[in-house]
Amino acid sequence: PASLLVGLGASAAVLMFVFKDTIMGLIASIQLSANNLVKPGDWIEMPSRKIDGIVTEISLNTVKVQNSDRTINTIPTYALVNETFQNWQGMVESDGRLIKRSIQIDMKSIKFCTKDQIEKFSKIGYLKDYIDTKAKAANNNGLLVSDSSMTNFSLFRKYVEFYLKSKPTINQETALVVRHRQSTENGLPLEIYCYSKEKSLAQYEEVQSEIFEHILSVMPEFGLKVFQ
């Protein structure tokens, strides 16, 4: 009996070594299917293996991915369980694709608006109601400067917000925020956070380009400068 058990143990070890990939692939396939981690047609990104493309086939042992440059990568099925990857399919099926980018503002260019500037900005359709509301709320309260005093940066921030709300390519049903983040040695970051209705790469990049080209072009009208 002892010899039989030793023989069986040795045989099992050899079989596990020979069929290791198959066994691991079977377990991985069950996990992928049970947890709905990935399926054919999903767009995945796996930087560790230089993969960025559409899953075309999932078998017991391998997964085939066609990258954006039309090359095809084949990886072990268990790699999708043991390694980190990003599945973009949720974004593809959602209402929009996130735009989250910043422009560094030169803080030395941020100033209070003069009366002439306020009159000029009041002629901008986006800002007229906002300026009127702030003007009505003006109250010194013994302070050197009123809390409701307008700066070129605050008006520019509102202008960008209203501009994004007017664009048909931006999803107005999702979060839309124009905010400044913690200042750094590279200036004050003005962050754009919104969702593009266009999700394909070319159209998505076109939407982003239009937004930031417009923002950079209109900044000098508010007396602001990009930090560079």
Side-chain angles (χ1 to χ4, degrees):
S3 299
L4 180 61
L5 289 174
V6 170
L8 289 174
S11 300
V14 171
L15 289 173
M16 289 199 59
F17 179 78
V18 172
F19 296 105
K20 179 186 71 171
D21 289 347
T22 302
I23 295 170
M24 292 177 66
L26 175 62
I27 295 172
S29 296
I30 294 171
Q31 288 180 301
L32 292 175
S33 177
N35 298 316
N36 196 26
L37 297 178
V38 66
K39 61 184 182 298
D42 284 3
W43 171 17
I44 67 169
E45 186 175 357
M46 203 172 187
S48 61
R49 294 180 179 263
K50 297 181 179 179
I51 288 174
D52 182 6
I54 305 298
V55 176
T56 59
E57 182 182 331
I58 300 177
S59 66
L60 186 63
N61 294 319
T62 60
V63 175
K64 288 184 180 180
V65 181
Q66 184 176 46
N67 297 307
S68 53
D69 60 0
R70 302 304 180 188
T71 58
I72 295 178
N73 280 38
T74 303
I75 58 174
T77 305
Y78 61 79
L80 293 177
V81 175
N82 296 336
E83 301 178 26
T84 301
F85 73 95
Q86 189 168 12
N87 191 333
W88 289 93
Q89 197 60 26
M91 179 276 296
V92 172
E93 296 172 356
S94 71
D95 295 331
R97 184 169 180 177
L98 178 64
I99 296 175
K100 184 180 179 183
R101 286 175 56 181
S102 299
I103 295 177
Q104 303 291 340
I105 306 294
D106 186 345
M107 288 189 287
K108 293 180 181 179
S109 66
I110 299 176
K111 296 179 174 63
F112 285 108
C113 291
T114 64
K115 290 183 179 179
D116 290 341
Q117 286 178 315
I118 291 176
E119 288 180 7
K120 172 185 173 182
F121 298 142
S122 294
K123 296 177 182 178
I124 301 174
Y126 295 144
L127 294 178
K128 186 179 185 306
D129 292 341
Y130 175 75
I131 291 175
D132 290 345
T133 301
K134 294 290 283 186
K136 289 178 182 177
N139 187 6
N140 202 338
N141 291 328
L143 299 174
L144 179 62
V145 178
S146 169
D147 287 343
S148 58
S149 296
M150 287 169 276
T151 66
N152 57 348
F153 182 70
S154 65
L155 290 180
F156 177 68
R157 181 169 50 81
K158 279 296 176 183
Y159 173 86
V160 174
E161 179 183 321
F162 294 140
Y163 165 69
L164 292 173
K165 288 179 178 178
S166 72
K167 285 190 71 64
T169 52
I170 298 300
N171 191 333
Q172 306 299 329
E173 303 299 322
T174 53
L176 192 160
V177 181
V178 180
R179 59 185 176 181
H180 57 78
R181 308 308 300 261
Q182 177 65 42
S183 59
T184 68
E185 66 276 9
N186 295 321
L188 182 66
L190 177 70
E191 184 180 84
I192 310 301
Y193 187 104
C194 60
Y195 288 82
S196 164
K197 289 182 180 179
E198 306 293 346
K199 291 173 280 188
S200 66
L201 182 61
Q203 293 174 315
Y204 168 74
E205 292 297 340
E206 181 65 22
V207 171
Q208 284 199 109
S209 298
E210 287 178 358
I211 291 171
F212 285 91
E213 286 165 6
H214 181 89
I215 290 173
L216 291 170
S217 298
V218 81
M219 277 181 63
E221 297 295 326
F222 288 82
L224 293 169
K225 295 180 179 178
V226 177
F227 186 92
Q228 59 181 15

